[in-house]
Structures are given as C-alpha cells and as structure tokens.
Amino acid sequence: METVALVSSYDKEDMASIKVLHSCTILTHRIITNRLHILFHFTVTLLLLYYRISHFFNGNSLPALSWALITISEIIFTFIWCLTQAFRWRPLSRTVSIDEIPANMNLEGLDVFVCTADPRKEPTMEVMNTIISALALDYPPGKLAVYLSDDGGSYITLYALKEAFAFSKRWLPFCMKYRIKTRCPEAFFSLAKYEELSITDEFSAKKDELEMPLLVYVSRERRPSKPYRFKAGALNALLRVSEKFSNGPYLLVLDCDMYCNDPTSARQAMCFHLDPQMSPSLAFVQFPQMFYNISKNDIYDNQARSAYRIKWQGMDGIRGPSLSDTSFYLKRKALYGSPNCEGTQRFLYSNKHPSEAQRTSGELMKFSSEEEIAILKEAKLLASCNYERNTKWGEEARWTSVYFCPTRPCFLGCTTIDMKDALVQLVKWSSGLLQIGLSRFSPLSYGVSRMSILQSMCYGYFIYQPLYAIAFLIYGIIPQLCFLNGIPLYPKVLSPWFVVFSTVYLSAIGQQLHEVLSDGGTTLTWWNEQRIWVIKSVSGSCFGCLDVFMKWSGIKKTTFRLTNKAVDKDKLEKYEKGEFDFQGATMFMIPLSAMAILNMACFIGGLGGIILRRNYEEMFGQIFLSLFIMALSYPMIQGLLKRSKKEKQ
C-alpha cells in the first residue's frame, strides 16, 4: 500500500507536523488475476481468428460473404475487448482521512457550477434541491459560491432560486445544529424525519447573522447566428463569470439532478488537492455517479457497475480517470494551461479581471454599489455568445486525475426509468463519441502522442464502443439465415476447434461473472447487465452510428437532446417491478424487433432441416446462439405481445 503524507500547515514552524490525509492501495491480487486472464484469453482468441481467416482462404464450400461478415464481427469484438483490458491492467483504490485536516486550515475558495436547460424535462424543484444541497456543503461559507446556469432563461427557475436561498437561511443552521448528513431537503424529508425539523426562535433570531455562501444566477446570451455549445458552453460561461464574483481556485460541477448526498465531499476532495506531492499536476478528483432511484433488479443497468467499480478504478492506476460530466472537484488552473505554466489568466483577453493577489484564496469580496454595477456589466459580456471568438478556450490541457469511491455516496442523481430515455441518452453519447473516433482526434492516433498507450486504449474503448452495434447485428442475422439454409458457421462439436470457440465464450462471460460476484452482485445482476448491453447496442448504439453517418453526409445537423428527468408514476411502478417500458421507443426497437423475429423464424424453420439432415454436430453452435438470443430478447417479445393485446382491446 502506498501512503502519501501531507504538510498540515503553511507556516514554516509547523512544517515538521505531518498528517496523512489519503492512502492508495494497489489491488495486487486482482492485477495478477487480470493479467493471467488477458494472456490466456488473448491466446485463445488468436486461435479463433486464425481458424476464421485460414478457412476463408482455404477455398471451403461455404458462402464467402457470410464467412467474411461473421469474421468481421468477431474482429470487432476482439478489437474492443483488447481496448477494455487497459482498465484491468493496474486497478487501485483510495481512502481519505478528513479528520486529519487541521481545523484552523485556511481552505481555499470553492465554486459550484450547476447547469439546467428546460424546466419541463428538468423539474425546477429537483434543481433547487441540488442548489440547496450545494449551499449546505461542509465548507467555510465565506469560501463557497454556487452558480446556476439556466439556458432556458426561465422566470420560474429564477423565482424558485430566490425562494430556495431564503429557505437555505433556515435550513443550513438546522443542518449544522443537528449535524444532518443528508442535506438535500427532498431526500431528508423522504426519510420521514419531519418531526426533527423544528425551526426554533433561536434560529429565527440568528438567521440574519448567519454567513451564507454566494448564490449567482446566470442565463447566457444566445443568438441563432452564433454557434451554441450547450452544456460545455454553459460551463465556459460560468467559469468566466465566476471570476468576477468569487474566483474560487477549485470548482465542483454538478448536473441539475445530482445533489450532494454527503456534505463532507469537498473536504474529501481536498485530501488530494492539498497534497503538495500530488497537487502540482492534479487537475480533478472524480467521484462516481450514483442514483437514488435505482430499483432492486436494475434492469437497465443504471448503476453502471462496470464503469464505476471496474473501469474508473483501472484508469486511476494509469495516470487517472476521464472526466465523467458531473460530480468532480476541478482545479480552476487546470482549465487555463499545463501544470508548469504560471498564472491562471492565460486564455483571457479582458484586462478587467481581478488580479491573483485579490483572489488568492477565492475569498468572497465586498463591493460598493458602483462596483457591483460594473461587475454585473462585465459578467454579461463574459456570458455573451461572442466572447470565445479568437481565443483558445478548451484547446490545451495536460494533467493527472484521481478517482475516489467512498463508502457513502457523495452525490446522488435521478436516472432514467424507461427504455426511451435510456436510448435517447445512449444515441447522444454514441454519436458524439464515434464522431471523435472517426476524426483526426482519435485517441488511437492523435492520443498516443500525448498519453500512454494504456490511456489511449481506455479512451479508445469509450470512443469505439458504438461499433458493438455492427458486430451484434451481424451476429443476429447471418448465423440465423445460414441456420435456416443448413449452412454451418462453427466447427463440429467433437472438433478441437469447437473447444477454442467455446473456451473464448466461457472465458469472456466467466470473467464478467467473477467481477460481478466479487463486487457483491448476483447472477441476476450479471444477466441483467448482459441483456441490457445487447439491447442497447443493437438499438441505441445502432442509431448513434446512423446519426454519425447522417451528420457526416450532411443530411442532418448536430442537435441537443436533453434527457428527461421528470418522473412518471406509471413508469416508475413498472421499473420497480422489473418490467421493461418500451413506450415511446418504438423506432429505437425496430432493429432489435426485426432481429428477434428473424431469429425465431429461422430457428423454427431450421430445426426441420436439421432433423432431416441429422447434422446436429455441425449446427450445434448456431442452435445455442439462437436460443441465447431468444433468452436475451424475451423482455422485448413480452412487451410486444402486451402492446398488441392492448391494441386489440
């Protein structure tokens, strides 16, 4: 175990006083197991590909096109599997000791950024709960500022923000007095603790004396003739505007539905940011995205166990995880240049920004009325759509990062509870990622010159994961058509080559099952992950690839699809019962529906031919594949049957 020490004070006299704020454990046993499995599985996979390629060029009597397509699908599976192994190369875990942070330490300023765009899809009350939980962070109020970017420019959101701030003046003292950990009002009240909330005369008398964090509302300028960068653009605007008000050296970025579940998360992050050995090159501390509305069965795999329990731990061992869109504590300086550059105003051309001396610690400053007017005027300029022209915003960065997964979730959000919203989100991600993969900025070409090969492989996995759609579509069509016509695509059961194919399959699912069980999951968890992986790949990722082609060909322009966060009671009931909800997702389900129907038709038709020809040994692989696809597609078939019954009624 690697342990890192931290100097707990800035005074020279106290430099000898050392406190351990965080430690790092390299998961040696898992590393050894993973590397042995990588060697074994890769060897067997090479044998499988040798069989495919050699038989293709040996002039066998099988249809060349079918053989070539099935070989391409297996090459895609192998390619993405190879990229995945970078996550398993050197996983590690971390712990922190926030009690070791000296009580008298002068913590630097923290700015919290929250973005919202549409009160219809992102309920205002949910946004306000996130804001209040951020205001209630266990951090010096004079060093804490919360910014809300409202791209919808909604008066409802602005009014609600004023009411939320007024409520916070009573809510924060209550949380501090009773040491409440769940400081999101909605989450607190859902725990049936109404009787604990008694705002006494003591609070009423002291509420005017309470120092409150700064709260700022921003609605940035938008013009049809100017490019609009959605959430990334909103964060850029908040970054510039915040410099005029608080200029906190550290930033916390939250989705509007991702409330602070643990008020100590800021201090946990500071255990890394304050480390003099780690801090000079540390850009951000990433926390996992976790959700409060996940059902027991989690049929949509919303907990993303593979990502936050396997992949991010693996990336942490090879210079750090990628940014996960939300729930990370970022060093402001990391957005302006490299770790070795001096100053933090590198990409700005405004001469009116406060100097470093004014805002060294991010402490909130007091302004006169004239100064407030001037600052608000320049803040409007910083939020304008013209500000980024001829600048280098978002172009340069070279830092390390840290992934920290505490026992108590620090942030909890609202996840999708139906297939439509899940697939809309996946199409958006798949399209954007694959566009990068097909551009000159591919991590496997552009990236290898700027990061290690293992890091490039990790980013390559995220970028090229949508290609699973092509591989699954081939596997769901070609073997079935060949089965119907009595054409074998796999070795005979008694052939040594069949052992190779079955070993590759069992090795892959065996590793996944081992990871699930060792992480506290069950076989049902594993099955749900396998099933939704195939469903999402054939539907969401497929449309993501189609979306990329349409944009590339000029048929379609880039659009912003906002994920719906409003909870429907009927959908919630279905989700909690473990029933798939395909309402509104008919278009997305066309490929999967067609594949399922084709699979059943070919299976029934092909069985007759097998009985007549008695070639069970040759067709066993395709029989198993058809049965496996039917098991995976059962929820969709069940949903289609229920829908047809309702239409008849």
Side-chain angles (χ1 to χ4, degrees), residues 34 88 305 310 510-520:
N34 288 347
R88 298 185 170 101
R305 181 204 59 81
I310 302 295
Q511 183 186 41
Q512 293 165 353
L513 181 60
H514 173 263
E515 289 177 347
V516 171
L517 297 178
S518 61
D519 196 37

Side-chain angles (χ1 to χ4, degrees), residues 119 140 151 181 208 261 384 483 486:
D151 273 358
K181 267 211 158 186
D208 294 332
N261 184 59
S384 67
F483 180 73

Side-chain angles (χ1 to χ4, degrees), residues 175-216:
C175 292
M176 288 185 286
K177 178 176 181 179
Y178 293 103
R179 297 180 180 178
I180 304 297
K181 267 211 158 186
T182 304
R183 298 186 179 183
C184 170
E186 184 178 14
F188 177 81
F189 291 142
S190 67
L191 300 175
K193 293 184 177 180
Y194 289 99
E195 66 278 3
E196 293 187 23
L197 183 58
S198 55
I199 306 299
T200 63
D201 291 337
E202 178 186 359
F203 291 146
S204 299
K206 291 187 176 181
K207 67 177 182 177
D208 294 332
E209 302 173 10
L210 177 69
E211 185 178 12
M212 291 290 292
L214 177 67
L215 182 60
V216 179

Side-chain angles (χ1 to χ4, degrees), residues 167-317:
F167 173 77
S168 297
K169 291 181 179 179
R170 292 176 176 249
W171 176 248
L172 268 60
F174 170 76
C175 292
M176 288 185 286
K177 178 176 181 179
Y178 293 103
R179 297 180 180 178
I180 304 297
K181 267 211 158 186
T182 304
R183 298 186 179 183
C184 170
E186 184 178 14
F188 177 81
F189 291 142
S190 67
L191 300 175
K193 293 184 177 180
Y194 289 99
E195 66 278 3
E196 293 187 23
L197 183 58
S198 55
I199 306 299
T200 63
D201 291 337
E202 178 186 359
F203 291 146
S204 299
K206 291 187 176 181
K207 67 177 182 177
D208 294 332
E209 302 173 10
L210 177 69
E211 185 178 12
M212 291 290 292
L214 177 67
L215 182 60
V216 179
Y217 173 88
V218 178
S219 182
R220 61 191 174 119
E221 183 186 26
R222 183 172 185 173
R223 295 184 185 180
S225 61
K226 302 295 181 183
Y228 202 68
R229 294 183 176 84
F230 308 114
K231 184 177 180 180
L235 291 174
N236 278 344
L238 288 180
L239 186 66
R240 297 190 296 266
V241 170
S242 64
E243 287 186 332
K244 300 305 299 179
F245 294 94
S246 53
N247 198 31
Y250 298 100
L251 311 172
L252 167 61
V253 177
L254 296 175
D255 279 346
C256 61
D257 66 321
M258 189 67 66
Y259 70 82
C260 301
N261 184 59
D262 189 338
T264 66
S265 65
R267 293 181 180 271
Q268 293 180 40
M270 289 305 147
C271 288
F272 301 102
H273 276 301
L274 296 177
D275 180 355
Q277 296 181 12
M278 176 180 287
S279 182
S281 63
L282 179 62
F284 62 89
V285 178
Q286 177 67 62
F287 288 80
Q289 292 186 39
M290 306 187 78
F291 306 96
Y292 60 82
N293 62 332
I294 290 180
S295 67
K296 183 179 180 180
N297 288 333
D298 190 20
I299 54 176
Y300 299 119
D301 189 28
N302 288 328
Q303 64 179 331
R305 181 204 59 81
S306 176
Y308 294 111
R309 301 295 298 179
I310 302 295
K311 293 182 174 64
W312 260 253
Q313 274 193 343
M315 291 188 79
D316 199 14

Side-chain angles (χ1 to χ4, degrees), residues 618-634:
E618 289 183 329
M619 306 305 293
F620 179 81
Q622 282 149 274
I623 292 173
F624 175 80
L625 180 61
S626 293
L627 291 172
F628 186 67
I629 290 175
M630 281 192 279
L632 287 171
S633 57
Y634 172 75

Side-chain angles (χ1 to χ4, degrees), residues 12-50:
K12 293 182 179 179
E13 295 179 359
D14 298 328
M15 288 294 284
S17 176
I18 302 296
K19 299 290 184 181
V20 177
L21 291 187
H22 68 90
S23 62
C24 170
T25 303
I26 298 174
L27 306 177
T28 309
H29 176 73
R30 190 191 294 181
I31 290 174
I32 294 173
T33 304
N34 288 347
R35 293 184 183 181
L36 288 175
H37 179 265
I38 290 171
L39 178 62
F40 170 75
H41 188 88
F42 185 65
T43 302
V44 183
T45 301
L46 287 179
L47 290 174
L48 185 152
L49 293 178
Y50 171 78

Side-chain angles (χ1 to χ4, degrees), residues 345-386:
Q345 309 291 332
R346 186 176 178 186
F347 294 160
L348 303 180
Y349 61 75
S350 172
N351 295 321
K352 298 180 180 179
H353 285 277
S355 66
E356 284 288 321
Q358 279 183 295
R359 305 282 180 84
T360 301
S361 63
E363 189 169 358
L364 306 185
M365 300 182 69
K366 306 298 182 183
F367 302 102
S368 65
S369 299
E370 292 78 8
E371 288 175 326
E372 287 182 357
I373 294 173
I375 288 174
L376 287 172
K377 184 177 180 180
E378 187 173 358
K380 290 181 180 180
L381 169 65
L382 297 173
S384 67
C385 56
N386 281 322

